Amino acid sequence: MRSGIIIGLAALGALLLSGQPSAKPGRYPNPIDVALSSDGSRLYVVCEGTDELVAVDPVTLAVVARVRVGHRPRGIALSPDGSRIYVTNSWSDTVTELDGTSLAVTRTLPAGWEPIGLTVDARGQILYVANRLSNDVSVIDLAAGSEIKRLAGGRGASYLAGDGAHVYVTHIYPNAGKFRTEPESEITRIETGQSTVDARLRLHNVAGVSHVALSRDGRLGIAAQLRPKNLVPLAHVAHGWAFGDSLAVFGEDVGGVVQLPLDEMERYFSLPFGVAIAPDKSRAYLTASGSDEVAIVDLQRLVAAARSPERDTLANDLSASARYVVARVPVGRNPRGIALSNDGTRLYIANHLDDTVSVLDTAAGRIVGTIALVGPAIVDPQRRGERLFYSSKFSFQRQFGCANCHLDSTFDGLAWDLEPDGFGVDIVDNRAIEDVSETAPFKWNGGNPDLYTECGPRTERFFFRSQGIRDADLSDLIAYVGSIPLRPNRYRLPGGELTAAQERGKDIFERARRKDGSPIPEENRCSFCHSGKYYTNRQLADVGTGKPTDRSPLIDVPHLTNVAYSAPYLHDGSARSLEEIWTVFNPKDTHGVTNDLVKDELNDLIEYLKTL
Amino acid sequence: MRLAVFFASIGLLGAAELPRFRWENFTTAQGLPDNRVYSVCVDGDKVWAGTDNGLALYQNGKWRVFTPADGLAHRAVLYLALDKQTHDLWIATMGGLSRYSGGRFDTFSQLNSGLPNDVVYGVAAHGDFVWVATAAGGSRLNKRTGEWSIFNERNTPMYEIWTYSVTAAEDKVYYAVWGGGVLEYDVKTERWKDYNDPDGETEMVLFKDQGLIHEITSSVSYVNKILWVATYFGASRYDGRNWRNFLEKDSGLPSNFLNQVKSVDGTRTWFSTDKGLAYFDGEQWATYRPALDTHAPEMLVRNAAGETSRVAVDTAPAHNYIFGVELQGDDIWVATAKGLSHGIRIKQETGKP
């Protein structure tokens, strides 16, 4: 708590929360998103860690209610008349509907895979939900309570904002593209008349797009984004700017889409996440979830920059942000979603890893209050490690943290040139890191025997270009990384049984003979290398996928848990889909015997792999 | 028309009820990327044309062309299907399947996806599924899960895997299997059934109306529980119980060689032949084309009694060789071997074109 009023609820809670469940013992609330009721009398906080929606009195800053929702809630939206509240449950694949007055749960609505953001159309009839793992947007008829269609979004569709005529959707993983090309993302535009995608605003050289906000007149939109410089060796960190922490400005006020930086020279705005635009369109606010700050942006100046003759070059100009960023205000750890009061005088900031909500006086530009959401009294090693994971403070000039590449503790869909050995050498695909503690060794060449090596000095030296991680911090960081759980696998049937195609695929995965009856050498069977609980024998193997630019053809056998989610594939990310692993990169049957399979059988094998 | 042509007034033959059109034709001169137009698809005021050299969009009086440089799977676009829920366009090409959605092309090939073959002849979108007809069997993409299923000789009664066309509805999905008749998928039971020519793989018709007219099927259309099948040797209609076949010699079809059939409501049906565009309203027939000899605009009518007449017209589709049609309200768009034609409906109530 850096300033302002702290409302300790330990003693007051029993009185204020009479009849309400308390926070789950032993679990950190992890506030991730916030919203205000239409009359401004309630602040709603989505607590991802405790599966709760928490209601706060914005005057007293006291928690007045807690309501259990689904698993891992992520986003919140209110109906236009404020009578209904909707919360996405990212691990339940549902949306909880609550009564806006009583906070009673009224319905549970279906959504896609890992719903994150949502918004209700201006008529209060249609709910749009961005589904991260199914890469689409659910269109839900609120009267019927049913999903009427899915629209193709960008990969990792996550956040939305609407202006009545349109809904704009961002996505955190870049769309599939050619190997070693600049990442391509988009802002998907849905016209709300027919609920169809009518445009995709191109975000070239962009990945990791987070929240998006629109001005009330609908003429200006802002999205928080990253411009990763993954095609050149990370050695350039020492020269500054491994990620371009930036925003995309779009709409009639600007004309087209313009990317503008939030970073400053030697003062980076790491991992921008939340966005809000003042009702009078004077200012915008963005959170830096890695730098623990809120940026205050003068919109008149921002639009002027976005309309300037040099607008297309400003994205790579570290001096540009001085034109429009008027202040950066320190807040709690890992600030995420934000919401403005209806009059724009207060900004509420969900500090994800502090279990607090900061209250910013927008006129004064300072924090005037902090809402405590009550978590465990003890900050355990995992929690400390999680804070380190999301913080940029260990990297050179505080440019980025682990979470810049492992977005929300997952991956980023990019292949990186990490090594200080010249351009294009030893390209590495960014693996998912869920449930990896028992999958050592690490790194694609197996060079790191344990997480201490993987996350410690080598990360300091080769990634962060710093030497600031203390042993105690490293232990905490590893405790957190080892605790990252697997997301639910949506390809498995509810009872755990396999579909007919998955069963056939399993037989292929485990087969010991080719279709002509000849034996497959043990080391060339899928299930030999990909064995055990995590589908890795933790050995090195030459499966013929090494490139001339790799220093060694020996590749660490990767774990396959939740492999379906983490395209691209192979050690260098050269396979854009699971299919390409075998249709393109296995001509000599060195990566398992697959060339005797017909296409049907390869499809079956892939259906099985998706269940792992 | 091999039958004698009677020059009678429209009113006498009841032909007034048959649609008449003023034809406007588009070629490369107007902006099409190629005159060989394989498919046309209408989405509101937008008209998509699949040509031998790219995909074209007609909107607000202008053509916009998309090529592989834009992300299209292949320059030769064989068939177009609109997803009526999302208004995404599914594009069957000689080099894979593309989806155009809000300005973005996503391409599915036999290398990067579960698509069985890159030669894609037909596609249909219904609900959560996209059904695909390829040179190596049929397939189905589950849009929600990304699962590809393949249908071929190993898991269906299909003995020939060259699927040419597919039509999908709530209860049934039909494939036209070129050389293998028609394949039916029952959505409820998930079972397959084949329909074949009872006269075998011959061009003889020994027993008319006892089954499919021929094994070489080129197109299927299933509307209101009525299946229409186009073959290279006539057309067939199946109501789930009885077959009825149509040949040039005993119907208003201008040719037995059909590239496409498209039914409006199970009864009113359009036929794309190598000798003109034909329409059947359940009793009467009409053919629209440039005359085969003089190339002068021509509209032929065959009434319920089998009497044939010629209606005076000033315009005709761009060419006799018709690949396919699509309706736009009362209007019709026609893909031909030498251009795309827009048939603008003439309101006959007023008696004025």
Side-chain angles (χ1 to χ4, degrees):
Chain A
M1 313 311 148
R2 296 183 181 165
S3 63
I5 306 164
I6 300 173
I7 303 296
L9 288 174
L12 199 56
L15 177 64
L16 293 173
L17 301 176
S18 177
Q20 300 293 341
S22 59
K24 286 184 178 179
R27 290 171 61 178
Y28 300 97
N30 284 2
I32 189 79
D33 205 359
V34 285
L36 278 139
S37 63
S38 52
D39 64 1
S41 66
R42 285 289 179 270
L43 174 71
Y44 301 114
V45 186
V46 178
C47 292
E48 183 186 17
T50 47
D51 299 340
E52 290 176 313
L53 179 68
V54 174
V56 176
D57 183 328
V59 176
T60 65
L61 305 188
V63 173
V64 296
R66 296 177 184 274
V67 181
R68 185 69 43 82
V69 291
H71 199 20
R72 292 239 176 182
R74 288 297 305 257
I76 181 169
L78 276 66
S79 60
D81 64 1
S83 65
R84 292 284 184 271
I85 301 167
Y86 299 94
V87 177
T88 52
N89 305 307
S90 64
W91 281 22
S92 306
D93 296 342
T94 58
V95 173
T96 298
E97 181 190 72
L98 304 98
D99 183 278
T101 304
S102 68
L103 294 186
V105 173
T106 49
R107 284 187 297 185
T108 300
L109 305 168
W113 291 351
E114 202 164 303
I116 302 290
L118 72 175
T119 189
V120 184
D121 77 332
R123 295 163 294 178
Q125 297 172 348
I126 300 292
L127 179 66
Y128 297 92
V129 184
N131 304 308
R132 179 169 290 181
L133 288 183
S134 47
N135 311 313
D136 51 24
V137 178
S138 294
V139 181
I140 297 172
D141 180 336
L142 286 174
S146 59
E147 186 181 35
I148 51 178
K149 60 176 150 179
R150 294 267 184 95
L151 304 174
R155 185 177 176 216
S158 290
Y159 305 101
L160 314 87
D163 65 1
H166 294 99
V167 168
Y168 296 83
V169 191
T170 62
H171 60 110
I172 69 162
Y173 306 129
N175 288 330
K178 290 182 179 174
F179 181 52
R180 297 277 293 156
T181 57
E182 293 163 331
E184 293 285 347
S185 295
E186 67 183 49
I187 298 173
T188 313
R189 192 177 79 182
I190 300 167
E191 64 84 22
T192 54
Q194 288 187 299
S195 291
T196 58
V197 175
D198 71 344
R200 297 176 190 270
L201 313 183
R202 185 187 182 199
L203 299 177
H204 175 61
N205 206 2
V206 168
V209 191
S210 298
H211 275 275
V212 57
L214 298 170
S215 61
R216 282 191 178 175
D217 62 7
R219 293 176 55 87
L220 180 68
I222 297 175
Q225 62 170 34
L226 292 175
R227 290 171 56 84
K229 295 171 172 57
N230 60 310
L231 300 182
V232 292
L234 212 53
H236 71 96
V237 170
H239 308 294
W241 227 6
F243 289 86
D245 301 295
S246 52
L247 50 79
V249 196
F250 59 94
E252 290 178 66
D253 283 350
V254 176
V257 182
V258 182
Q259 298 181 40
L260 296 171
L262 290 162
D263 295 322
E264 299 172 36
M265 186 74 77
E266 300 184 5
R267 188 171 178 236
Y268 295 87
F269 192 76
S270 174
L271 207 50
F273 186 84
V275 190
I277 295 178
D280 62 1
K281 226 165 93 172
S282 60
R283 290 180 168 185
Y285 305 88
L286 294 103
T287 54
S289 58
S291 305
D292 302 341
E293 291 176 307
V294 167
I296 302 175
V297 175
D298 183 303
L299 283 183
Q300 196 172 359
R301 295 188 205 171
L302 183 78
V303 170
R307 295 173 65 94
S308 65
E310 65 276 20
R311 66 188 219 167
D312 292 333
T313 63
L314 291 179
N316 293 317
D317 183 350
L318 275 174
S319 70
S321 64
R323 295 190 187 191
Y324 40 82
V325 176
V326 295
R328 284 166 55 166
V329 182
V331 292
R333 292 184 182 90
N334 193 225
R336 297 291 197 107
I338 54 180
L340 275 164
S341 60
N342 292 334
D343 60 5
T345 60
R346 291 287 186 275
L347 180 75
Y348 299 91
I349 303 131
N351 299 314
H352 189 232
L353 298 179
D354 262 351
D355 301 325
T356 62
V357 175
S358 296
V359 185
L360 176 81
D361 181 324
T362 56
R366 62 185 178 85
I367 301 297
V368 295
T370 302
I371 301 163
L373 296 167
V374 187
I378 296 172
V379 178
D380 63 21
Q382 285 182 16
R383 184 62 159 183
R384 291 197 300 268
E386 188 176 15
R387 290 172 172 174
L388 297 174
F389 187 89
Y390 281 87
S391 174
S392 63
K393 69 180 181 182
F394 291 109
S395 65
F396 182 70
Q397 295 177 341
R398 300 189 168 205
Q399 292 183 47
F400 60 96
C402 308
N404 277 60
C405 292
H406 296 287
L407 298 167
D408 281 341
S409 304
T410 62
F411 58 95
D412 60 4
L414 296 171
W416 284 84
D417 191 351
L418 295 177
E419 302 292 341
D421 49 13
F423 281 77
V425 176
D426 275 350
I427 303 303
V428 292
D429 174 47
N430 184 0
R431 289 192 204 177
I433 54 170
E434 302 162 12
D435 202 15
V436 295
S437 60
E438 296 177 37
T439 64
F442 300 100
K443 201 176 177 192
W444 276 105
N445 60 16
N448 293 334
D450 50 42
L451 283 175
Y452 280 89
T453 314
E454 173 76 10
C455 302
R458 287 185 176 155
T459 292
E460 285 182 289
R461 180 176 173 190
F462 295 119
F463 291 8
F464 292 159
R465 306 285 152 176
S466 69
Q467 294 181 338
I469 303 181
R470 298 177 301 133
D471 285 348
D473 289 339
L474 182 56
S475 295
D476 292 343
L477 182 62
I478 290 164
Y480 172 66
V481 172
S483 73
I484 297 172
L486 271 181
R487 289 181 281 185
N489 185 306
R490 275 76 172 184
Y491 295 94
R492 295 184 194 134
L493 295 174
E497 67 272 29
L498 300 178
T499 66
Q502 291 164 354
E503 284 283 5
R504 293 192 300 268
K506 184 172 186 285
D507 290 343
I508 294 168
F509 186 83
E510 295 173 347
R511 70 180 178 153
R513 291 186 179 277
R514 294 181 180 84
K515 288 164 68 179
D516 64 7
S518 60
I520 299 173
E522 190 177 51
E523 67 275 11
N524 212 17
R525 299 171 191 165
C526 304
S527 57
F528 176 78
C529 291
H530 293 290
S531 57
K533 181 181 176 185
Y534 300 97
Y535 301 95
T536 171
N537 63 1
R538 302 165 59 178
Q539 302 294 315
L540 298 180
D542 178 1
V543 293
T545 56
K547 305 292 192 302
T549 50
D550 294 330
R551 282 183 291 180
S552 166
L554 293 172
I555 306 294
D556 173 48
V557 174
H559 57 280
L560 297 183
T561 40
N562 275 348
V563 68
Y565 301 142
S566 61
Y569 300 105
L570 297 181
H571 67 287
D572 59 357
S574 51
R576 289 172 294 183
S577 62
L578 286 169
E579 285 85 355
E580 283 191 347
I581 294 173
W582 297 285
T583 59
V584 177
F585 295 102
N586 192 34
K588 296 179 180 176
D589 276 344
T590 48
H591 190 180
V593 175
T594 54
N595 286 306
D596 65 335
L597 301 177
V598 294
K599 186 70 174 173
D600 323 29
E601 294 161 332
L602 184 59
N603 283 5
D604 291 340
L605 174 62
I606 288 168
E607 285 307 306
Y608 174 64
L609 293 175
K610 291 176 180 175
T611 69
L612 301 181
Chain B
M1 276 317 145
R2 292 176 184 167
L3 297 176
V5 175
F6 294 88
F7 292 90
S9 72
I10 295 170
L12 284 174
L13 294 178
E17 297 172 6
L18 290 168
R20 296 178 59 193
F21 300 98
R22 176 172 59 82
W23 296 95
E24 289 185 352
N25 298 323
F26 298 89
T27 65
T28 53
Q30 284 77 40
L32 272 180
D34 198 279
N35 284 342
R36 196 169 182 83
V37 184
Y38 293 120
S39 182
V40 59
C41 184
V42 170
D43 180 13
D45 62 349
K46 293 186 287 191
V47 179
W48 295 92
T51 83
D52 198 43
N53 195 27
L55 173 70
L57 168 64
Y58 187 66
Q59 191 173 26
N60 300 323
K62 292 180 180 175
W63 286 100
R64 183 182 172 193
V65 175
F66 301 91
T67 70
D70 300 300
L72 184 66
H74 191 272
R75 64 171 177 77
V77 177
L78 303 183
Y79 195 77
L80 302 169
L82 185 71
D83 184 325
K84 290 177 181 170
Q85 278 193 332
T86 64
H87 288 248
D88 292 345
L89 184 73
W90 289 90
I91 305 154
T93 82
M94 287 292 285
L97 175 71
S98 288
R99 172 176 61 188
Y100 181 86
S101 174
R104 187 183 85 196
F105 283 97
D106 299 316
T107 285
F108 305 88
S109 72
Q110 62 189 46
L111 296 183
N112 73 9
S113 77
L115 185 73
N117 193 278
D118 282 351
V119 179
V120 183
Y121 290 110
V123 59
H126 187 83
D128 292 333
F129 296 102
V130 178
W131 298 82
V132 190
T134 83
S139 67
R140 181 184 68 188
L141 168 64
N142 183 328
K143 292 190 295 177
R144 296 204 175 192
T145 67
E147 180 180 6
W148 286 88
S149 304
I150 296 178
F151 310 113
N152 52 30
E153 81 283 4
R154 285 182 286 277
N155 56 2
T156 76
M158 188 187 299
Y159 63 85
E160 167 64 63
I161 60 171
W162 196 358
T163 57
Y164 222 64
S165 164
V166 60
T167 181
E170 201 66 32
D171 57 339
K172 297 282 175 60
V173 176
Y174 290 94
Y175 275 96
V177 185
W178 202 98
V182 169
L183 205 63
E184 176 189 271
Y185 177 78
D186 187 303
V187 173
K188 190 174 180 182
T189 65
E190 300 183 355
R191 292 190 174 175
W192 292 89
K193 180 180 179 183
D194 60 338
Y195 296 94
N196 300 101
D197 181 356
D199 302 321
E201 293 183 69
T202 69
E203 295 176 18
M204 294 182 292
V205 179
L206 301 176
F207 302 100
K208 193 163 178 280
D209 295 337
Q210 289 192 358
L212 182 67
I213 191 71
H214 201 275
E215 288 293 278
I216 300 181
T217 54
S218 56
S219 173
V220 279
S221 177
Y222 181 65
V223 182
N224 291 340
K225 299 190 182 300
I226 301 295
L227 173 69
W228 280 91
V229 185
T231 82
Y232 285 179
F233 299 90
S236 293
R237 180 182 187 273
Y238 181 58
D239 63 8
R241 189 179 180 89
N242 298 304
W243 288 87
R244 185 181 170 194
N245 295 327
F246 301 87
L247 294 167
E248 179 185 346
K249 67 181 182 184
D250 56 11
S251 75
L253 277 177
S255 168
N256 286 333
F257 187 93
L258 279 76
N259 285 313
Q260 193 205 54
V261 61
K262 191 175 191 72
S263 188
V264 178
D265 54 12
T267 300
R268 294 179 293 155
T269 302
W270 293 88
F271 304 87
S272 301
T273 84
D274 64 339
K275 291 187 176 65
L277 171 67
Y279 172 71
F280 179 52
D281 71 359
E283 291 187 339
Q284 304 177 100
W285 292 80
T287 296
Y288 311 84
R289 65 185 182 187
L292 299 179
D293 45 8
T294 66
H295 304 298
E298 183 176 73
M299 176 179 170
L300 301 174
V301 170
R302 184 181 192 274
N303 68 11
E307 299 166 325
T308 307
S309 63
R310 176 176 285 125
V311 176
V313 290
D314 299 324
T315 58
H319 195 260
N320 290 319
Y321 199 95
I322 312 294
F323 284 109
V325 302
E326 176 84 314
L327 300 173
Q328 186 181 41
D330 288 337
D331 288 1
I332 191 168
W333 288 82
V334 184
T336 86
K338 289 195 175 176
L340 178 70
S341 299
H342 179 196
I344 302 165
R345 185 75 176 264
I346 297 171
K347 303 297 183 186
Q348 290 165 263
E349 295 80 11
T350 64
K352 297 177 182 176

